[in-house]
């Protein structure tokens, strides 16, 4: 079966980003690096910048860094683009470095949400930052998108501000903020930006840039998909929209049926599951004769009127759903969960309606208006974006005295993706704890084979330090390349949050053939020694293609392969929308079979989450038993981190399950939430059952749970009865966040029975193929 190409519905629905007439400044040509100083602007012959991008990351001119993509896409449209990276936010002076932008500011917190970048899941501040030269922390403020927008406004008050990036995407409506433990307003309101572009925003960005360049006031640009902005009550630009009020949870009472006047009392009672004893008694005493020639009239709906009149659904393209206001969701957990559910149901570009949410009351009242999601890029447009002339390295300003980027000024996030290739975008997995779907959408956007191969050749020929090993051909998920719905009509109408939960949809195309072809072609290129797959693998999809699993295992695994079951128990898995552990077992059988056929000793590295909503103490205990039974000792533990707007975060905040529908009565499903340091520590301790530091806590918990039978010195016990001397140390994957580890030799090989893995702090591979930091899990 051939892989699906660009979906016809989406391909017809939007103007190609390559079809705009270039801006006049295109005559200046392509910059080796987008300028970060006045001196660089002068070398390019510029007297000013048309657009200035402000970012919380160091500027790395690579297609894995959002600001580089945005800058190069705008440059290809003919605009002069400058970058202010990691500015001093304590005053507006640093924001004046490149002068006044002619068209607008482009603002982002960076590749990561600034709060997740700066704080651990336990709300402790990090001392490092992988997106900063030298891995130095503290180079960006909390809530960077808001702070940068304020400083841009101070620097040049009359210049429009266009906000983007994942921090803006995840805060486009009123949202629960884990760090302050309260509901915050939409970032559009707090940042006072003129326009927010959410998701992968190339299409919206190109249109907005050309419209501003054509002198269209930004306050009139209200019809671009993938944008959010503020509207005041009575704004004439809102005329013609049909508002659907969803500001309250539906609480329908009993629906009384129409009475059929030809029914007897007995027949009416019987229709309602009751009886009329008086009439039945009379009938028994004197049975009536029935004339078969006389028939009772029956009332039925008129099929010609079905779907018409007041039941007619308004056109989606002119419909807007009114969500509960900020003030309502702030004070009412039920309405918060309801708003979250509605937002996630309106994410398919094929059928999503616009959303509106009120903020403020009286004279301060305004609406945050969120247009439907952007139309996904076609394969040709994806190729255009990734084929732009990236320098594929950090800006020369970050180089050390030798002109290199691998010493004291090394940027770990760049090192991690330096020799990798992004082949697709999007994810239809719908995991509730993950932010990929909220940001990139469910529709998979894939590059062509030729574009991917060209980038591999560019890495081989142009990137300094390349040894012949490509560290990854992937994306948000390693094996969703060119997968999608078999029917464009069904895909455009579907409102399911996941294509693979509770099982793989029958309409989902799961052929891995195009991906296998790319793997084979890439590894046959001259100068390519090995192609590794570093992105997370969706193993329930992979088992649908044993040929793919064989290809992957025998040619593209460097000893360890990371996958993410996340848990073993049904309770938490149902709240994550993840498959059961049986899918992992089936994949493990294929993995071991094909590894043995190839004569290779290779290991699966499963990731697990502690303290996820819906996880009981017993669930974590059973996971710990499974880990010990299967010989896993996790040194690196991931605790649930409530990111803004995620469904699991709504569960965490409200104790309700938006996946099941929201009600104010007993029909609403309550979710067990792991709150408080003590219980979160316990769940982490179960994942690290082998650590003597955790044994006192686990003994106490197991006795309380009535499972003291798991305490003992046999192989079938979880933890021993004895307690050795411990130093309280803990080795984190981020070394600067670790407490000292006694007598640990850096780079030492694991002892017998102990497995150091990518999940547990993998040392560099002996092949030298993985750069430092490659074992770190990508942020969700």
């Amino acid at each position: 079966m051939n892989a699906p190409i660009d979906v016809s519905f989406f391909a017809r629905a939007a103007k190609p980003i390559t079809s705009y007439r270039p801006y006049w400044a295109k005559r200046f040509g392509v910059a080796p690096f987008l300028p970060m100083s006045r001196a660089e602007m002068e070398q390019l012959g510029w007297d000013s910048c048309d657009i200035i991008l402000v970012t919380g990351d160091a500027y790395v001119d690579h297609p894995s860094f959002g600001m580089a993509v945005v800058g190069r896409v705008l440059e290809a449209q003919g605009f002069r683009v400058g970058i202010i990276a990691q500015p001093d936010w304590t005053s507006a002076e640093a924001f004046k470095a490149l002068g006044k932008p002619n068209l607008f500011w482009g603002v982002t917190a960076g590749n990561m949400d600034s709060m997740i970048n700066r704080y651990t899941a336990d709300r402790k501040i990090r001392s490092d930052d992988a997106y900063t030269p030298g891995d130095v922390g503290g180079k960006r403020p909390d809530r960077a998108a808001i702070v940068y927008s304020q400083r841009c406004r101070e620097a040049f008050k009359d210049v429009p501000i266009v906000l983007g990036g994942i921090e803006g995407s995840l805060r486009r409506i009123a949202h629960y903020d884990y760090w302050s433990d309260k509901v915050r307003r939409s970032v559009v309101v707090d940042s006072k930006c003129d326009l927010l572009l959410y998701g992968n925003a190339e299409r919206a960005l190109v249109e907005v840039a050309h419209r501003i360049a054509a002198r269209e006031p930004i306050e009139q640009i209200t019809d671009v998909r993938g944008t959010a902005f503020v509207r005041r009550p009575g704004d004439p630009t809102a005329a013609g929209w049909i508002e659907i009020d969803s500001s309250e949870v539906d609480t329908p009472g009993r629906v009384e049926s129409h009475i059929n006047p030809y029914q007897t009392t007995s027949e009416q009672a019987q229709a309602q599951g009751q009886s009329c004893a008086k009439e039945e008694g009379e009938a028994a005493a004197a049975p009536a004769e029935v004339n078969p020639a006389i028939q009772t009239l029956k009332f039925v709906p008129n099929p010609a009127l079905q779907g018409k009149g007041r039941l007619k659904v308004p056109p989606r393209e002119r419909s807007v759903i009114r969500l509960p206001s900020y003030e309502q969701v702030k004070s009412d957990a039920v309405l918060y969960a309801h708003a979250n559910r509605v937002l996630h149901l309106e994410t398919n570009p094929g059928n999503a309606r616009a959303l509106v949410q009120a903020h403020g009351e009286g004279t301060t009242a305004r609406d945050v208006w969120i247009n439907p999601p952007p139309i996904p890029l076609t394969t040709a447009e994806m190729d255009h974006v990734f084929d732009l002339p990236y320098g594929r390295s950090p800006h020369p300003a970050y180089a050390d005295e030798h002109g290199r980027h691998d010493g004291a000024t090394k940027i770990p996030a760049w090192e991690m993706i330096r020799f990798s290739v992004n082949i697709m975008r999007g994810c239809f997995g719908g995991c509730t704890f993950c932010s990929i779907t909220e940001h990139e959408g469910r529709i998979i956007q894939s590059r062509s084979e030729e574009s991917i191969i060209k980038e591999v050749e560019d890495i081989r020929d142009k990137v300094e330090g390349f040894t012949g090993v490509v560290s990854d051909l992937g994306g948000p998920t390693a094996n969703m390349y060119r997968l999608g719905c078999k029917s464009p009509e069904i895909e455009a109408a579907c409102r399911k949050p996941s294509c693979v939960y509770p099982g793989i949809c029958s309409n989902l195309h799961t052929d891995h053939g195009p991906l296998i072809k790319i793997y084979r072609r890439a590894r046959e290129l001259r100068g390519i020694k090995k192609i590794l797959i570093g992105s997370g693998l969706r193993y329930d999809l992979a088992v649908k293609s044993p040929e793919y699993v064989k290809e992957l295992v025998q040619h593209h695994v460097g000893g360890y392969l990371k996958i993410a079951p996340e848990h073993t128990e049904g309770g938490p898995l149902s709240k994550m929308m993840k498959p059961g552990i049986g899918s992992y077992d089936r994949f493990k059988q294929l993995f071991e079979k094909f590894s043995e056929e190839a004569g290779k000793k290779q290991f699966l590295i499963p990731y697990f989450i502690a303290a996820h909503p819906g996880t009981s103490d017993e669930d974590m205990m059973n996971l710990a038993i499974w880990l010990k039974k299967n010989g896993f000792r996790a040194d690196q533990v991931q605790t649930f981190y409530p990111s803004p707007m995620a469904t699991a975060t709504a569960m965490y905040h409200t104790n309700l399950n938006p996946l099941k529908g929201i009600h104010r009565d007993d029909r609403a499903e309550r979710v067990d939430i792991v709150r408080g340091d003590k219980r979160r520590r316990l769940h982490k301790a179960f994942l690290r059952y082998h650590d003597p530091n955790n044994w006192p806590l686990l003994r106490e918990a197991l006795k309380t749970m009535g499972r003291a039978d798991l305490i003992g010195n046999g192989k079938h016990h979880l933890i021993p009865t004895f307690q050795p001397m411990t130093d309280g140390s803990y080795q984190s994957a981020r070394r600067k966040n670790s407490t000292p580890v006694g007598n640990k030799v850096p780079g030492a090989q694991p002892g017998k029975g102990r497995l150091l893995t990518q999940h547990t702090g993998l040392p560099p591979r002996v092949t030298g193929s993985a750069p430092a930091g490659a074992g770190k899990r990508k942020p969700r």
Side-chain angles (χ1 to χ4, degrees):
M1 182 185 296
N2 293 327
I5 56 174
D6 294 324
V7 179
S8 59
F9 170 84
F10 297 123
R12 292 197 307 266
K15 182 177 180 178
I17 62 174
T18 54
S19 63
Y20 290 82
R21 181 180 180 181
Y23 192 59
W24 68 266
K26 190 174 180 66
R27 66 188 67 174
F28 286 100
V30 175
F33 284 86
L34 302 178
M36 292 176 59
S37 67
R38 283 279 195 171
E40 293 173 74
M41 290 170 57
E42 291 172 1
Q43 289 176 1
L44 295 169
W46 300 2
D47 61 348
S48 61
C49 290
D50 301 311
I51 300 160
I52 297 178
L53 306 177
V54 181
T55 175
D57 296 336
Y59 168 35
V60 180
D61 199 39
H62 188 283
S64 290
F65 284 72
M67 272 298 95
V69 173
V70 167
R72 291 298 186 182
V73 166
L74 288 170
E75 180 188 56
Q77 299 293 323
F79 300 104
R80 293 169 293 178
V81 183
I83 288 188
I84 299 177
Q86 298 186 318
D88 176 5
W89 69 89
T90 57
S91 76
E93 288 306 309
F95 295 76
K96 300 176 182 178
L98 302 183
K100 182 179 179 179
N102 300 322
L103 300 179
F104 63 87
W105 294 101
V107 176
T108 178
N111 271 19
M112 284 181 67
D113 183 282
S114 63
M115 299 301 286
I116 295 176
N117 179 280
R118 296 203 67 218
Y119 294 89
T120 69
D122 296 323
R123 298 190 182 97
K124 296 178 180 177
I125 194 163
R126 303 186 195 273
S127 58
D128 59 347
D129 184 343
Y131 291 88
T132 300
D135 201 14
V136 177
K139 292 291 186 180
R140 75 187 78 211
D142 288 356
R143 314 187 200 287
I146 297 174
V147 176
Y148 290 159
S149 296
Q150 291 171 344
R151 292 293 180 257
C152 288
R153 189 72 76 198
E154 291 174 20
F156 299 104
K157 185 176 181 180
D158 57 338
V159 177
I161 296 173
V162 177
L163 184 62
I166 193 165
E167 182 163 312
S169 282
L170 302 189
R171 290 170 167 78
R172 57 187 185 260
I173 66 168
H175 55 279
Y176 172 71
D177 184 78
Y178 173 64
W179 303 272
S180 60
D181 194 24
K182 66 179 184 181
V183 175
R184 289 181 62 95
R185 301 183 299 183
S186 165
V187 72
V188 180
V189 175
D190 282 345
S191 68
K192 297 182 175 61
C193 67
D194 295 282
L195 201 61
L196 166 68
L197 309 187
Y198 67 87
N200 291 124
E202 290 95 344
R203 190 181 302 286
L205 181 69
V206 169
E207 179 178 350
V208 168
H210 281 288
R211 289 172 68 172
I212 293 177
R215 298 295 183 262
E216 183 174 352
I218 194 168
E219 59 269 17
Q220 295 181 14
I221 303 178
T222 60
D223 58 344
V224 179
R225 297 180 67 111
T227 64
F229 49 89
V230 168
R231 266 191 171 128
R232 294 286 180 179
D235 190 325
T237 61
W241 286 86
I242 302 169
E243 185 172 298
I244 301 171
D245 189 358
S246 190
S247 59
E248 289 289 345
V249 176
D250 293 333
T251 53
R254 174 173 173 167
V255 179
E256 298 289 348
S257 60
H258 292 288
I259 299 297
N260 184 339
Y262 292 93
Q263 280 185 319
T264 65
T265 306
S266 176
E267 289 170 338
Q268 292 176 23
Q270 185 178 3
Q272 298 173 8
Q274 302 170 353
S275 64
C276 180
K278 179 178 182 295
E279 191 170 299
E280 286 176 356
E282 293 173 351
E289 294 185 5
V290 178
N291 185 344
I294 301 174
Q295 295 186 1
T296 304
L297 289 175
K298 294 182 179 180
F299 290 82
V300 298
N302 183 349
L305 298 178
Q306 295 299 300
K308 295 186 177 181
R310 61 177 181 171
L311 297 178
K312 186 177 181 180
V313 177
R316 289 178 179 270
E317 65 272 11
R318 297 301 297 172
S319 299
V320 59
I321 298 176
R322 179 162 292 279
L323 299 173
S325 69
Y326 159 69
E327 286 74 19
Q328 287 178 295
V329 299
K330 181 180 180 181
S331 59
D332 190 333
V334 172
L335 289 181
Y336 183 96
H338 167 69
N340 183 271
R341 177 175 170 83
V342 173
L343 182 138
H344 282 86
L345 287 173
E346 301 295 333
T347 55
N348 183 345
N351 58 45
R353 302 174 178 91
L355 304 173
V356 63
Q357 185 176 52
H359 284 63
E361 298 171 341
T363 56
T364 64
R366 62 271 210 209
D367 286 337
V368 173
W369 192 286
I370 305 170
N371 283 330
I375 300 299
L377 297 184
T378 64
T379 294
E381 289 172 318
M382 285 283 286
D383 288 353
H384 167 74
V385 170
F386 282 87
D387 291 347
L388 293 170
Y390 300 97
R392 302 196 68 86
S393 72
H395 189 278
Y398 303 123
D400 58 22
E401 63 273 17
H402 304 294
R404 301 176 62 86
H405 301 279
D406 51 8
T409 61
K410 179 172 64 177
I411 301 172
W414 172 66
E415 284 288 334
M416 185 176 180
I417 52 84
R418 185 177 181 179
F419 307 121
S420 69
V421 179
N422 194 334
I423 66 174
M424 46 76 68
R425 284 180 182 169
C427 179
F428 49 69
C431 300
T432 61
F433 53 82
C434 181
S435 300
I436 293 173
T437 302
E438 283 92 338
H439 184 58
E440 297 194 0
R442 292 183 316 167
I443 309 299
I444 302 302
Q445 302 163 71
S446 302
R447 298 169 61 186
S448 70
E449 180 182 322
E450 292 303 321
S451 176
I452 294 167
I453 295 300
K454 177 180 179 297
E455 185 170 352
V456 174
E457 292 174 333
D458 283 346
I459 292 174
R460 176 196 65 191
D461 300 337
K462 300 176 183 178
V463 178
E464 184 179 357
F466 182 64
T467 61
V469 179
V470 176
S471 60
D472 190 20
L473 289 182
T477 304
N479 59 319
M480 286 188 183
Y481 178 77
R482 286 201 174 275
L483 301 190
C485 195
K486 297 175 182 177
S487 164
E489 292 75 20
I490 292 175
E491 182 173 51
C494 183
R495 291 166 64 83
K496 289 177 62 178
S498 172
C499 299
V500 289
Y501 183 85
I504 296 176
C505 178
S506 59
N507 293 312
L508 183 66
H509 176 90
T510 59
D511 179 24
H512 286 58
L515 190 54
I516 295 172
K517 185 180 178 184
I518 287 176
Y519 286 0
R520 290 174 177 170
R521 184 175 171 187
R523 71 170 184 263
E524 290 172 359
L525 292 173
R526 176 185 55 81
I528 301 299
K529 299 177 183 177
K530 194 171 185 66
I531 305 280
L532 295 171
I533 304 303
S535 298
L537 185 79
R538 190 79 195 199
Y539 53 86
D540 51 345
L541 283 173
V543 296
K544 294 290 185 180
S545 177
E547 182 186 6
Y548 170 75
V549 179
K550 182 176 182 180
E551 188 76 17
L552 174 75
V553 171
Q554 297 190 349
H555 298 285
H556 302 284
V557 175
Y560 305 96
L561 180 67
K562 58 182 180 182
I563 57 175
E566 308 297 6
H567 217 285
T568 58
E569 305 305 296
L573 287 173
S574 68
K575 306 303 182 293
M576 300 174 184
M577 291 209 302
K578 292 285 289 187
I581 199 66
S583 296
Y584 167 83
D585 293 333
R586 289 192 291 275
F587 180 80
K588 184 172 182 287
Q589 291 175 356
L590 291 175
F591 181 88
E592 292 175 344
K593 172 188 173 184
F594 294 132
S595 293
E596 185 177 357
E597 287 181 4
K600 295 183 176 182
K601 190 173 183 180
Q602 301 183 139
F603 302 93
L604 278 179
I605 309 308
Y607 288 138
F608 298 97
I609 295 180
H612 190 279
T615 308
S616 66
D617 298 348
E618 288 73 17
D619 289 332
M620 291 306 301
M621 176 191 71
N622 291 332
L623 173 53
I625 294 171
W626 185 92
L627 287 169
K628 182 167 186 180
K629 179 181 177 182
N630 287 274
F632 288 111
R633 292 186 170 192
D635 283 349
Q636 182 179 331
V637 175
Q638 176 165 313
T639 312
F640 171 65
Y641 204 154
S643 60
M645 216 172 82
T647 299
T649 302
M651 296 180 193
Y652 178 88
H653 172 57
T654 66
N655 288 85
L656 298 171
N657 184 5
L659 299 174
K660 297 293 186 181
I662 301 301
H663 311 278
R664 290 195 181 276
D665 52 28
D666 294 338
R667 292 175 295 166
E669 181 181 341
R670 303 285 167 174
V671 180
D672 182 15
I673 302 301
V674 184
R675 287 195 180 89
D677 291 342
K678 182 175 181 180
R679 196 167 177 216
R680 285 172 70 89
R681 280 200 306 270
L682 173 62
H683 282 216
K684 291 169 68 175
F686 271 121
L687 276 182
R688 288 176 49 79
Y689 67 90
H690 56 281
D691 186 349
N693 290 294
N694 292 326
W695 292 348
L697 178 61
L698 291 176
R699 287 193 198 97
E700 178 186 352
L702 289 172
K703 290 175 183 177
T704 303
M705 296 163 64
R707 292 305 308 269
D709 58 298
L710 293 175
I711 305 172
N713 302 321
K715 290 185 176 180
H716 61 286
H717 294 114
L718 184 63
I719 56 173
T721 56
F722 63 88
Q723 182 64 40
M725 292 290 292
T726 61
D727 60 2
S729 62
Y730 173 70
Q731 179 70 21
S732 166
R734 302 179 87 133
R735 289 173 295 173
K736 293 183 180 180
N737 294 327
S738 303
T739 54
V741 177
N743 302 322
K744 181 165 182 176
V745 180
Q749 293 300 310
K752 185 177 181 181
R754 180 175 175 79
L755 184 65
L756 282 181
T757 66
Q758 285 183 315
H759 182 54
T760 64
L762 175 67
R765 294 188 178 93
V766 293
T767 60
S769 59
K776 293 183 181 178
R777 189 173 189 183
K778 292 183 179 179
R780 291 189 175 275

